[in-house]
Amino acid sequence: RIIAIVCVIIHSANGILYPMESESRQVKDLSGRWRFRTDNSSGRDTGFQERWWERRLAETGHVIDMPVPASYNDITQDKSIRDFVGWAWYETTFFAPNAWNNEVTNVWLRVGSAHYYAMVWLNGEQVMEHEGGHLPFECDVTMSLNFGATNRLTIAVNNTLTPNTLPPGEINHYNGKDDYPAGYFTQEYEFDFFNYAGIHRPVKLYTTPRLRIGEIVTSSDVTADHASATVHYQVTVTDSSRVGQEMASYNITVVLEDSTGAIVNKTSGGSGSITVTQPMLWWPVGMHDQVGYLYTMVVYAGRLGLSAPITTDVYRLKIGIRTVTVDQTLKINGRPFYVIGVGKHEDWDVRGKGFDWSMVVKDFNLLDWLGANAFRTSHYPYAEEIMQMCDERGIVVIDECPAVGMRSANNFVNKTLSHHLNVIGELVTRDRNHPSVIMWSVANEPSSQLPPAAQYFKTVLDRARELDPTRPATFVCNAGYDSDLATPYVDVVCVNKYEGWYDDPGHVEVIQKRLSYFLTQWHEKRSKPVIHMEWGAGAIAGFHSDPSLMYTEEYLCDVMREHFATFDSLRTGSNPVLAGEMIWNFADFATAQATTRAYGNRKGIFTRQRQPKSPAFVIRDRYRALRNQSVAERQTELDLIGKHWVGDYAFLENMTQARLNDVTTRLHSFIISRYI
């Protein structure tokens, strides 16, 4: 049955700033050892009937220790907790200092991520609830705190998925079947990773003045010769003591500092622009010698014409100056950018999807070892700390919302669409200041051949562009080029195809012919750049065979080589077909138990413990060679500019003036030292 898309409710999209300490702000991290229990009643509702939030959780029954952040599934030896579906309850206590109890300070409670539905009580009073994992939510808890005393925080998290959640799922009840236990049910879903649950990212308290900076939105324009840039900004100020105050009543100062802290320029007002001459642009790794250059935008907000003791709010936001455009290919700062990356997961031993700095830093070091310049946040938004590291390290991000497993027409109804639009709003407003984010992905592998999909995804893609017109928007498609209905609305065509694995399994000899035809057909049909977003094969570490056979490390190596030959034939020329390649997956990861999954998905080039399989060395050779090509191109530019400086203009015939100006500006000091 085709379901028409009609008017849906969209919540206002207001971003929330990452908690940062400053002259006016303090942050208290509540991460650590919490108390935990699951509601094992048949209806999973005893906690609500008995109002567990009104007393200590230990008074409701047996509780155990549970780390936050972490998924709860793999922490214990209890299989019922590992596979639990329903309401899980957390509790911690903390001290709120008397210093926070004054007429000029508000205190905010922020949950970085809780999967999937969360309800929050502070000292027995409900203060928040939020639908959807992977994104932060917060509220002002000033009036609910006991200052100078201990406070009790209770969070209930439900991981149940329905046809209208993102990701979607379905509960199968076995009522009336005599050969199953009474009340037995299972959670089913179509996506291929384990539905980890719990409080996955830090829970924090932070303070602000009553008059606070609520949101900062930035974007930038860069001249063609890179000699000048304009940084646009908009600051939203909220004043809990004077609701509805006009922006003109506030004193807002914006200062742009370089990486040394020196002032580049400054201005005032709630919105405006800052000009930067000879800017240091943000470049991805491999495109420039100066990778991931970040400026600091310092925003000061206070109240005008009042003698009351009001603290000026101060917030420092790291920004990068760069542009992203799409014509025949994908470009960063006007230069063609070829994506060489990986699909990933926030997935680690024991902690599941719980944020862990040691694992995050390890993954970034492995990305650098590979020579990769990008990854996709498959298939949900990653932690903000990861996005910040991408900014600093010059790793490009295709930022994806958790719309994965949308395989049924029941997923393309108004209830889902309303939630989808709200999730896109939360994602875009959270991440649009990150220079590393170059594209929004609104879904992965939906059934885009179904009739409702066309208008559905047009609506979602339009919403992403409305919130952020500076980046392309896409979804990742695995429908056929001759059946898909939604890719006419994307800016870059992103496709998944597992040639040699799901298609023609075991037959690497057909990969080049079939893959080239497939990617070329997509390019001809849509006349847009194409990124091959997922490809690869399962490889169980330690499985070997010569000649290669499926599931061995050698087989994935053979699949890689055939793909590389195809990619090289399609990524060059005046009208290249291919704008990027991203192997699936960076590392083995957990999935639901199935006869087709031997202890998870084994397509990783690293094991789940982050040890390299032999295919990791094959792809490292390619990615580093491609990165070194960029380095070699820059060295050629150095030599050409050197010839220019000594008067040998014959070497400059093929270089445009804009290009010459760009390279001259970036390498001025180096050239002087080398050639003069």
Side-chain angles (χ1 to χ4, degrees):
R1 176 168 162 245
I2 300 175
I3 303 172
I5 303 297
V6 297
C7 180
V8 296
I9 298 173
I10 307 173
H11 298 162
S12 61
N14 296 317
I16 54 178
L17 295 173
Y18 183 79
M20 301 283 286
E21 292 196 319
S22 71
E23 296 89 332
S24 60
R25 297 178 174 225
Q26 297 179 24
V27 179
K28 182 182 182 74
D29 195 337
L30 302 183
S31 300
R33 183 164 52 99
W34 291 41
R35 290 164 290 280
F36 176 87
R37 68 163 298 182
T38 55
D39 184 343
N40 295 307
S41 61
S42 59
R44 302 294 197 254
D45 58 353
T46 296
F48 293 96
Q49 293 178 3
E50 297 181 356
R51 304 173 71 85
W52 287 357
W53 62 87
E54 292 185 344
R55 58 192 188 277
R56 293 189 308 115
L57 196 59
E59 296 176 14
T60 70
H62 179 65
V63 298
I64 62 174
D65 291 331
M66 186 60 62
V68 171
S71 301
Y72 60 70
N73 307 81
D74 292 341
I75 299 298
T76 78
Q77 305 308 112
D78 188 340
K79 185 173 175 59
S80 67
I81 290 179
R82 202 269 177 182
D83 297 325
F84 181 77
V85 177
W87 287 101
W89 292 73
Y90 289 80
E91 180 193 78
T92 192
T93 55
F94 63 89
F95 191 85
N98 267 323
W100 290 358
N101 186 18
N102 58 68
E103 63 181 9
V104 298
T105 300
N106 282 2
V107 184
W108 299 78
L109 174 65
R110 187 183 201 266
V111 180
S113 168
H115 187 72
Y116 170 80
Y117 198 101
M119 300 181 70
V120 183
W121 295 266
L122 181 57
N123 297 320
E125 176 188 355
Q126 184 177 348
V127 293
M128 279 192 290
E129 62 182 291
H130 182 261
E131 181 181 3
H134 318 293
L135 289 163
F137 52 101
E138 68 178 14
C139 73
D140 183 347
V141 295
T142 309
M143 304 304 294
S144 301
L145 283 169
N146 296 323
F147 292 101
T150 298
N151 294 261
R152 179 169 48 84
L153 177 63
T154 307
I155 302 180
V157 180
N158 193 325
N159 62 341
T160 303
L161 303 178
T162 74
N164 308 122
T165 59
L166 293 182
E170 190 169 354
I171 297 293
N172 287 337
H173 294 274
Y174 293 76
N175 298 332
K177 296 187 177 182
D178 294 338
D179 52 344
Y180 282 92
Y184 186 74
F185 66 90
T186 56
Q187 171 79 80
E188 308 293 339
Y189 44 83
E190 293 289 335
F191 53 88
D192 188 29
F193 56 92
F194 187 67
N195 187 36
Y196 276 114
I199 302 175
H200 286 155
R201 295 174 193 155
V203 179
K204 296 180 179 181
L205 290 169
Y206 71 94
T207 66
T208 68
R210 294 287 174 90
L211 186 154
R212 71 179 184 111
I213 301 162
E215 185 178 17
I216 305 170
V217 182
T218 66
S219 63
S220 56
D221 296 319
V222 181
T223 58
D225 60 1
H226 296 177
S228 178
T230 304
V231 177
H232 309 283
Y233 74 89
Q234 183 171 349
V235 177
T236 301
V237 172
T238 60
D239 188 346
S240 61
S241 63
R242 301 182 69 182
V243 177
Q245 185 78 20
E246 293 295 327
M247 183 67 73
S249 301
Y250 300 127
N251 179 20
I252 299 173
T253 302
V254 179
V255 179
L256 192 66
E257 299 176 347
D258 66 16
S259 61
T260 69
I263 295 177
V264 176
N265 208 337
K266 63 181 179 179
T267 188
S268 61
S271 62
S273 301
I274 295 178
T275 300
V276 183
T277 57
Q278 304 301 326
M280 294 293 293
L281 301 185
W282 187 93
W283 291 101
V285 63
M287 286 191 78
H288 196 275
D289 297 320
Q290 182 72 55
V291 170
Y293 189 92
L294 297 174
Y295 291 86
T296 300
M297 178 175 283
V298 188
V299 180
Y300 301 86
R303 190 181 298 157
L304 288 175
L306 296 175
S307 58
I310 294 294
T311 302
T312 296
D313 196 14
V314 183
Y315 192 89
R316 291 174 173 84
L317 177 69
K318 297 286 187 180
I319 66 169
I321 298 176
R322 64 102 186 90
T323 60
V324 179
T325 53
V326 178
D327 45 34
Q328 291 181 332
T329 188
L330 183 63
K331 293 181 178 179
I332 295 179
N333 298 327
R335 295 184 183 177
F337 175 73
Y338 186 75
V339 175
I340 47 174
V342 296
K344 286 185 92 278
H345 270 297
E346 286 184 316
D347 177 277
W348 301 281
D349 278 337
V350 182
R351 56 195 66 73
K353 293 193 182 304
F355 180 81
D356 185 319
W357 269 118
S358 61
M359 300 309 300
V360 168
V361 173
K362 177 66 173 178
D363 282 4
F364 272 93
N365 290 337
L366 290 175
L367 287 170
D368 181 65
W369 179 84
L370 282 175
N373 62 18
F375 66 81
R376 173 170 55 127
T377 67
S378 41
H379 298 294
Y380 38 81
Y382 287 6
E384 291 154 287
E385 294 84 353
I386 293 176
M387 312 305 287
Q388 292 162 6
M389 284 197 70
C390 289
D391 294 341
E392 296 167 5
R393 295 203 177 196
I395 298 295
V396 159
V397 177
I398 297 173
D399 208 353
E400 190 162 87
C401 87
V404 56
M406 299 180 69
R407 308 301 299 168
S408 166
N410 291 333
N411 304 138
F412 295 96
V413 297
N414 295 324
K415 185 176 181 180
T416 308
L417 179 60
S418 178
H419 178 53
H420 202 156
L421 295 172
N422 290 329
V423 171
I424 286 293
E426 291 183 20
L427 170 62
V428 172
T429 56
R430 191 196 75 164
D431 288 348
R432 60 188 168 191
N433 289 322
H434 289 288
S436 57
V437 176
I438 66 162
M439 194 182 316
W440 306 112
S441 172
V442 303
N444 178 73
E445 295 187 349
S447 292
S448 58
Q449 75 280 5
L450 297 178
Q455 184 60 39
Y456 184 99
F457 282 108
K458 180 182 186 301
T459 303
V460 177
L461 289 161
D462 285 348
R463 178 60 171 163
R465 296 188 192 98
E466 175 190 357
L467 294 168
D468 176 27
T470 71
R471 292 174 175 88
T474 189
F475 73 92
V476 182
C477 181
N478 72 338
Y481 53 80
D482 55 351
S483 61
D484 163 78
L485 301 174
T487 54
Y489 308 109
V490 304
D491 299 305
V492 177
V493 174
C494 296
V495 294
N496 295 346
K497 182 176 175 62
Y498 289 87
E499 191 59 52
W501 190 250
Y502 297 125
D503 297 316
D504 303 296
H507 294 283
V508 297
E509 67 275 9
V510 305
I511 288 176
Q512 290 191 44
K513 176 69 173 179
R514 297 209 67 213
L515 182 61
S516 179
Y517 182 84
F518 171 80
L519 294 173
T520 302
Q521 287 296 310
W522 267 112
H523 187 254
E524 292 178 354
K525 186 176 182 66
R526 297 295 179 225
S527 299
K528 298 173 182 178
V530 177
I531 297 177
H532 196 177
M533 196 67 77
E534 288 186 27
W535 62 277
I540 299 177
F543 276 34
H544 298 283
S545 176
D546 185 21
S548 68
L549 297 173
M550 292 178 69
Y551 284 104
T552 65
E553 296 183 33
E554 289 78 12
Y555 184 78
L556 179 51
C557 291
D558 286 346
V559 167
M560 284 180 170
R561 295 184 183 102
E562 297 299 317
H563 278 74
F564 295 160
T566 308
F567 295 157
D568 284 341
S569 70
L570 299 176
R571 67 181 179 86
T572 57
S574 59
N575 186 25
V577 170
L578 204 61
E581 57 194 74
M582 303 185 81
I583 192 168
W584 187 263
N585 189 282
F586 173 76
D588 294 345
F589 56 91
T591 66
Q593 297 183 75
T595 55
T596 56
R597 290 288 174 260
Y599 197 61
N601 189 306
R602 301 302 191 96
K603 295 188 182 73
I605 56 176
F606 297 100
T607 67
R608 201 178 186 214
Q609 294 73 38
R610 273 45 179 183
Q611 297 303 311
K613 306 175 191 177
S614 54
F617 295 91
V618 175
I619 203 163
R620 180 177 189 262
D621 288 344
R622 174 173 178 79
Y623 281 6
R624 286 198 161 265
L626 289 173
R627 182 191 287 188
N628 289 339
Q629 281 184 14
S630 297
V631 173
E633 290 168 358
R634 294 201 311 274
Q635 185 61 47
T636 299
E637 291 172 351
L638 276 172
D639 293 336
L640 289 171
I641 296 301
K643 299 289 187 179
H644 168 70
W645 277 84
V646 298
D648 191 349
Y649 294 97
F651 285 85
L652 301 173
E653 293 179 355
N654 295 322
M655 183 177 286
T656 66
Q657 185 62 46
R659 186 72 164 148
L660 177 61
N661 291 343
D662 171 37
V663 180
T664 304
T665 299
R666 292 188 294 110
L667 303 172
H668 183 274
S669 60
F670 177 87
I671 293 164
I672 291 177
S673 64
R674 179 173 176 177
Y675 293 102
I676 303 301

